[in-house]
Amino acid sequence: MFSLGSWLPAFPGLSWGWALLDALLQGLVGACAVSVLCSLLKVYLYIQCLNNPKRQAEKEAIREQRAVLEPLHVLVLTGVLALVGSRVAALVVLEFSLRAVSTVLSLGKGAHSSQLYLLCQYSLGCGVSCALSFLLEGAPHRSWNLALAAGLAGLLALQCRRLARHVCTLYELHSRAQYCGLCILLLSAGHRIPRLLRNALAVTFAVADLAAVELINRDFLSAAEAMRFWTPLTICYALLVVYMQEEPRQSTGPVFRTVLVRMGGLFILLLTVGRWIDILHVLLSLLGELWCLLRAGVLLESCQRQ
């Protein structure tokens, strides 16, 4: 009603077409946010490996990542985020937020925050999509706003990708010669990248959590109906957090196994209190999680060895 389609004549199926366009734009913004996260973390890990003679093999593995696959990664993730409904996306966001709080509280027991940044990729995409869906609901010219957001996000993702390519190619030379302003800046302030990511993710997930709760609660007509949904959900998430605290972190195997357990728990939960379309969205979310982790496999191994 208030999107780009409101300026055009009412043709059959036109509103559905604009809704699909809005979903694709939301998914693109979320995929670009994931791309920015991975690019900045790649820069940080490469610099850390370069400064440690024992991690030269990891440095070469990070450098040899194929940059040509990055557009394919963004394209596939855009499609998955566009197809996943707001209900399942909201549940994914809430589950990760609970897991992140638990991990941060257990940092003293040996957990690694750098690994958490990579594990949040798909949840970050869902969070950005949920936040945009909630914040732009009923906004005049919604499609134009989403198109502007997608353009800005794409530009930021492109610049971060160019930064990662520059660092992996020339940072070692420029940091010694000290004639590249960008590399000199990274040489003095590159260790602050995790703090930058932590602050940005904290704000993003804070907004996404509020949007997720509102998107879920709008489907309930009464408080009793909401309690029948939230009670088993809370129990399920609590059990998942306990399981993941006990899961070993020495290899990438447990990471993929944890994804299967989490999505399996959500799948069983929605079989009892969800809708049939939610089941399909959970399966798509599983594909999205695995796709993100497979693409970031080298970075994930570097984080675990760190």
Side-chain angles (χ1 to χ4, degrees), residues 63 85 187 241 252 266:
R63 174 185 290 178
L187 184 64
V241 169
T252 57
L266 189 58

Side-chain angles (χ1 to χ4, degrees), residues 80-90 126 130 277-278 281 284-285:
V80 172
L81 292 174
L83 293 175
V84 171
S86 59
R87 184 184 179 96
V88 172
C126 289
C130 285
I277 193 64
D278 293 335
H281 291 162
L284 285 173
S285 294

Side-chain angles (χ1 to χ4, degrees), residues 244-282:
M244 283 178 286
Q245 288 299 318
E246 300 297 329
E247 189 73 10
R249 298 180 175 86
Q250 283 76 19
S251 63
T252 57
V255 172
F256 291 97
R257 188 161 59 246
T258 299
V259 171
L260 295 176
V261 171
R262 286 170 39 228
M263 290 300 169
L266 189 58
F267 181 85
I268 295 174
L269 175 68
L270 291 177
L271 278 177
T272 58
V273 296
R275 307 163 183 163
W276 69 267
I277 193 64
D278 293 335
I279 307 303
L280 176 61
H281 291 162
V282 170

Side-chain angles (χ1 to χ4, degrees), residues 95 98-99 102 231-247 258 261-262 264-266 268-269:
E95 184 272 331
L98 182 61
R99 181 158 45 103
S102 175
T231 300
L233 179 68
T234 303
I235 296 174
C236 178
Y237 281 179
L239 293 175
L240 286 174
V241 169
V242 172
Y243 168 79
M244 283 178 286
Q245 288 299 318
E246 300 297 329
E247 189 73 10
T258 299
V261 171
R262 286 170 39 228
L266 189 58
I268 295 174
L269 175 68

Side-chain angles (χ1 to χ4, degrees), residues 21 23 26 45 54 65 78 94 97 117 145 159 197 208 247:
L21 174 62
Q26 286 179 191
L45 291 174
K54 298 180 180 180
Q65 278 189 308
T78 297
L94 293 176
S97 299
Y117 297 147
N145 294 331
Q159 294 302 317
L197 293 177
E247 189 73 10

Side-chain angles (χ1 to χ4, degrees), residues 18 34-35 52 72 78 117 126 162 225 244 256 287 304:
W18 292 121
V34 174
S35 178
N52 189 343
L72 176 62
T78 297
Y117 297 147
C126 289
R162 292 178 60 186
E225 186 179 355
M244 283 178 286
F256 291 97
L287 294 177
Q304 290 171 337

